[in-house]
Amino acid sequence: MAMIADLKEMLLKKAGEAFHVEQRSVGNCKSLKWPALLPMIRYETETYRMEGFGALTVMEGKIIGAIRTMTCMLTPFEGAAVPAVMLDVMEVKEKSTVFIEYFDKTAQGAEMSAFEELSEKYADVETYPDSPVWYNAERAACSLIKISPAQQVGKLVDMTKDFLDNYFPMAQSAEKSAENIPGLTAFSEKMAEGGTAAMEVMKKRFGTDGAKEFYRTVFVPQR
């Protein structure tokens, strides 16, 4: 079950090739577990400042029963005309999933043709019938929601590499505008209210207000 480690290494390497990347402290959010005495869920969180772009946050999870997860958020809070992206990976014994979800919050609409082409390229990879969550309505139709047998994850890895090879050059060259920031800020506030699958653990650990602050300042930071 090495796909998550490989994808994390790939992500950080390609981010570092495109931008100057500096890790930031996340304080007491770095290592979380629940329940405290006999933890069933553990999260490790890292966040990085990407100069000229915004932020990258990586949350790795271990859940009892040999489930491994990684949720990464690319947040272009400096105003580049590219979508925010959530990369969500899960490995279990028999299956692996990769979700690449685009959230276009730019004022005029980001150029999405490269991502639409990726959706067509990987149309033969099985689409995962994911559960309804609030942000499904926010993501672009060309988002990649894919599942594969655990021993046949090569296409999921290739798909993620293709996404990164398109996204970072686009983010480097995209025009920046302050007009793109309000929509992203509003999305950050929605994330603070709705969260992800980790929201309930965050509430148990930090309380409702603390969980909201985590999503607002660490997961989808506004600055």
Side-chain angles (χ1 to χ4, degrees):
M1 298 177 69
M3 184 178 69
I4 283 177
D6 290 345
L7 292 183
K8 179 182 178 183
E9 181 181 4
M10 181 194 301
L11 172 61
L12 293 177
K13 181 175 183 292
K14 290 184 178 294
E17 290 171 349
F19 298 96
H20 174 70
V21 175
E22 183 176 339
Q23 189 167 1
R24 287 176 160 181
S25 170
V26 293
N28 63 351
C29 297
K30 179 171 176 54
S31 297
L32 304 174
K33 58 184 181 179
W34 183 85
L37 293 180
L38 295 171
M40 298 176 64
I41 302 174
R42 299 175 184 269
Y43 288 109
E44 294 288 332
T45 301
E46 301 170 6
T47 189
Y48 300 85
R49 174 74 167 87
M50 298 171 62
E51 186 176 335
F53 172 80
L56 164 64
T57 300
V58 180
M59 288 184 67
E60 293 183 82
K62 295 181 180 180
I63 304 171
I64 194 168
I67 299 172
R68 300 290 183 268
T69 66
M70 180 175 71
T71 302
C72 308
M73 192 75 206
L74 286 157
T75 307
F77 64 65
E78 292 194 22
V82 293
V85 179
M86 184 156 62
L87 170 63
D88 207 355
V89 185
M90 182 173 66
E91 289 184 282
V92 296
K93 189 173 182 180
E94 296 86 9
K95 297 283 187 178
S96 296
T97 62
V98 172
F99 297 177
I100 301 174
E101 301 174 270
Y102 310 107
F103 301 97
D104 181 11
K105 301 304 171 183
T106 60
Q108 303 300 322
E111 173 55 55
M112 300 292 287
S113 59
F115 306 131
E116 291 166 354
E117 290 174 9
L118 285 183
S119 180
E120 293 177 7
K121 180 177 179 179
Y122 291 98
D124 63 326
V125 180
E126 183 181 352
T127 296
Y128 181 76
D130 61 330
S131 302
V133 293
W134 71 269
Y135 52 79
N136 285 2
E138 304 271 337
R139 72 188 184 200
C142 59
S143 296
L144 297 159
I145 312 298
K146 301 296 184 177
I147 184 170
S148 171
Q151 303 306 315
Q152 300 174 23
V153 298
K155 279 202 171 183
L156 296 183
V157 173
D158 290 345
M159 181 180 77
T160 306
K161 181 179 182 299
D162 277 352
F163 155 67
L164 295 173
D165 285 344
N166 278 275
Y167 185 79
F168 284 131
M170 186 183 299
Q172 284 178 300
S173 61
E175 184 177 343
K176 293 181 184 177
S177 172
E179 293 181 354
N180 295 327
I181 296 175
L184 191 60
T185 300
F187 179 67
S188 175
E189 291 298 328
K190 286 184 179 180
M191 188 63 78
E193 292 296 326
T196 62
M199 184 64 147
E200 292 308 312
V201 174
M202 295 295 170
K203 286 181 179 179
K204 290 178 172 67
R205 177 66 176 79
F206 299 118
T208 298
D209 289 343
K212 290 180 179 181
E213 190 67 8
F214 169 83
Y215 280 95
R216 182 182 293 115
T217 62
V218 176
F219 192 68
V220 190
Q222 299 175 16
R223 59 184 176 85

